[in-house]
């Protein structure tokens, strides 16, 4: 593996999930792979789970890790070609990425969408330029439209905890006070559409995701219908794809409560975190026996470690 | 040891001090203990000495270290239960601490007091929630009311440099231009009250510390009387406990000078640092032969290493 | 070697360059040297290349690394002696440096000039105080007037890529929109004046560098004359030395283009980076076959590793 930016970079999802679960049982068995290898984690946006879990995964593999917080203010990168750099940007992504590629063996990059220009966000302009110019293997730490390490951890979690061969998995929209990216739901959807699950997406009208990611899913505006007999519920807010980045008519009753869980098949509740309590998801669910959000977060380590291991093996 | 938040977590102070001094002589003898173990250092407030010395201590023990600066602005944590998180906080301490506990083996946390609500500060609300929710051993890197790694380094320093079995140790208030926490003097006092020293606290009227920490000390408003025959002088500013966080009538003449050292027993002068020169402590004392502040700071490594070693042994 | 702040700390440049090139071939042969040794990288100003390359160099040598971003706002250091610290500075450089010296084996420091007070900048007030008070070997990560790790990487690059015994090397001024330090050109000049090259400096009138650094170079205001038959061109902007920190009459035609390269001896083009495209240096040159800026940046690792190795050997 030379690139991990979406499910399309994975030839056999089941094998990768099995790898992650094997690493969970025996985390330190491959430290020779990472010896004298350096992972750079470049954050253009803040991170807690992704930073810690990916760093831990790399350490488990014997790698060195450098964390770089490249604030858009502090070290502003120029992304456009053909401009005279007489403004606020101090370095072009062409040089910055190429130089990082000289010092690192693998690079992880986080770059959120601006949520203003859909074309720019959905072509993954920033992310793809890093990939193009750095010249080394790249792992997405969440890009404008996808969060594949999260999705891999999610499918690892479902595989680990499912009690039937083909569980019903529901991605349900949740309220929020500000427009969030579609990266997590896009990514979760495109992984679930390829997984051995029955996959349903529930959201209010106006919150349709881009069809490139949801092909094959059952989509409904009726949350109750979706939740019925669900084995896993994935709760997440996102802003509209059309009109892009907007928040049409927020429906507070979309917040999941214990009462609503009754119609499920004793469902396990997931969320990628951070979660706003009693806005996105009720505190009673988060503190109750249905929540597996912390367990899900812990699996971020094994997802990242499975991916880094594959890349190290290919160096 | 599963927790290091105050002197009350230590069953035998002398044994812990002896451990620290043994580690000073042979720092790398226990690197097997830390192999594949990760220490997380979480700073809600800035740090220089604590960060570097604790990181060094962990490296000496063979551990990995992740440093997390969780600025209250950048990644604002919600601390209150039962609130709808529709404001500026992005994650609840329940989830944040629990997730960190999944990635780390030991966590060190720094959280200063607000100095506005004494009840909130003195119940250690933030700190105790981290301990409650993270589920792994916790080391205080300075909480609202205590700085136990500093105090342990202080008693290590006194033990190392004392020239009599029971030295006279004086904690003396010093001037400052803004209200500082009581954490360092509280903590120093509660350790000294249990140590084999004659312990006196000198401060202007109005700067009484909370009695929970000073039980057993001689307390006076007369600095000269306190300094007489002192073997060690611990200089520190703090704000009032009552009215909480205020600065009644700052007494500039409380700043220690060479002249005032004459009435001591050739006393050694300590300060936890950072120190404001010629405000808290005169430059002539800091640059003179009585000052042991840098030596004291160097002992922060061995204090931290002794504590981390005990915790690693109990994992 | 106990100090690396300028070319004057190097007794044999050729031997040091040879060391760097040997390390490039065999990076991990000296990991015993760095075992249980800690390098501290202290940044009073931002850094990308210097931070990453020096960290990588230290890891190659088996060292531990602590990175400290000491923002002048966040942890303001007092540099002046004899002042009452009742303002915004929280710690004096005397204590801060001395304490760091207790926790580290080698310290690297970056401190840019203020470009306001030439006397203060050119006496290296901040930098020299760190050296004086920390008590351990110091490596400059760029000071007010020099950037020796960059210059060493530059001479390594020239040595590696030259096709004749004594190449013609030209340092040429480039336009910019704001006043930059003279550290890089000063430093490059003083290394080149001691190297086995024909060295020419070209700049517009008013941009004369301090003669202490340029003694022995050919200096001209005619860029074309300088570029003629050049084998290496080092492009860099700097502000005036007199009147200090000013930008007299910016000449846009000083920007290097492919057309201008025709009069050179198929010259290789260097720049320390970051570079502003189509302002300092044309995009066509940067993206063309003459540019060696990324290769030059990659050599920062071996320059830093050669210096750290020498210092480790002397501990």
């Amino acid at each position: 593996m030379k690139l991990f930016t979406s499910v399309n970079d994975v030839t056999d999802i089941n094998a990768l999930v099995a790898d992650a679960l094997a690493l969970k049982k025996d985390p330190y068995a491959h430290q020779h792979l990472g010896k004298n290898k350096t992972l750079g984690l470049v954050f253009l946006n803040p991170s807690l789970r992704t930073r810690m879990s990916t760093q831990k995964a790399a350490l488990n593999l014997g790698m060195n890790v450098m964390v770089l917080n490249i604030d858009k203010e502090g070290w502003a990168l120029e992304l456009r070609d053909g401009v005279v750099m007489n403004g606020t940007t101090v370095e072009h992504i062409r040089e910055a990425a190429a130089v990082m590629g000289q010092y690192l063996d693998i690079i992880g990059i986080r770059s959120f969408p601006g949520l203003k220009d859909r074309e720019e966000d959905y072509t993954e302009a920033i992310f793809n330029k890093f990939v193009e110019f750095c010249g080394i293997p790249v792992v997405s730490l969440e890009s404008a439209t996808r969060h594949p390490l999260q999705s891999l951890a999610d499918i690892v979690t479902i595989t680990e905890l499912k009690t039937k061969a083909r569980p019903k998995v529901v991605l349900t929209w949740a309220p929020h006070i500000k427009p969030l990216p579609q990266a997590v739901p896009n990514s979760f959807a495109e992984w679930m559409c390829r997984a051995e699950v029955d996959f349903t997406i529930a959201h209010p009208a106006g919150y349709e995701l881009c069809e490139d990611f949801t092909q094959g899913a059952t989509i409904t505006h009726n949350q109750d219908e979706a939740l019925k007999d669900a084995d896993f519920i994935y709760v997440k807010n996102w802003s509209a794809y059309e009109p892009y980045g907007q928040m049409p008519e927020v429906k507070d009753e979309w917040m999941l409560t214990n009462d609503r869980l009754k119609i499920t098949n004793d469902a396990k509740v997931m969320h990628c975190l951070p979660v706003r309590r009693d806005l996105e998801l009720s505190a009673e669910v988060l503190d109750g026996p249905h929540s597996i959000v912390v367990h899900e977060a812990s699996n971020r380590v094994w997802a990242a470690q499975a991916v880094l291991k594959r890349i190290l093996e290919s160096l």
Side-chain angles (χ1 to χ4, degrees), chain A residues 160-200:
Chain A
E160 203 183 10
L161 301 180
K162 71 182 179 184
T163 54
K164 61 177 69 153
R166 196 173 173 84
K168 178 175 180 183
V169 176
V170 180
L171 166 62
T172 181
W173 184 90
H176 207 285
I177 54 157
K178 58 174 195 175
L180 295 193
Q182 295 112 31
V184 169
N186 279 348
S187 203
F188 186 73
E190 75 173 354
W191 285 73
M192 283 301 119
C193 289
R194 281 164 183 78
E196 289 159 14
V197 302
D198 285 324
F199 182 48
T200 298

Side-chain angles (χ1 to χ4, degrees), chain A residues 188-241:
Chain A
F188 186 73
E190 75 173 354
W191 285 73
M192 283 301 119
C193 289
R194 281 164 183 78
E196 289 159 14
V197 302
D198 285 324
F199 182 48
T200 298
I201 304 173
H203 57 72
Y207 284 95
E208 283 69 23
L209 291 165
C210 172
E211 287 182 10
D212 295 351
F213 299 91
T214 61
Q215 216 91 49
T218 305
I219 300 175
T220 173
H221 295 168
N222 185 330
Q223 195 188 38
D224 278 349
E225 188 185 290
L227 295 181
K228 192 159 183 306
D229 300 326
D231 297 297
F232 292 89
I233 306 175
Y234 201 88
V235 177
K236 186 73 186 82
N237 169 268
W238 62 86
S239 60
Y241 180 70

Side-chain angles (χ1 to χ4, degrees), chain A residues 19 31-32 100 106 120 173 178 200 205 245 256 265 301:
Chain A
D19 266 19
Q31 298 201 333
H32 57 286
M100 286 183 200
I106 305 175
E120 185 182 299
W173 184 90
K178 58 174 195 175
T200 298
L256 201 68
N265 181 30
V301 176

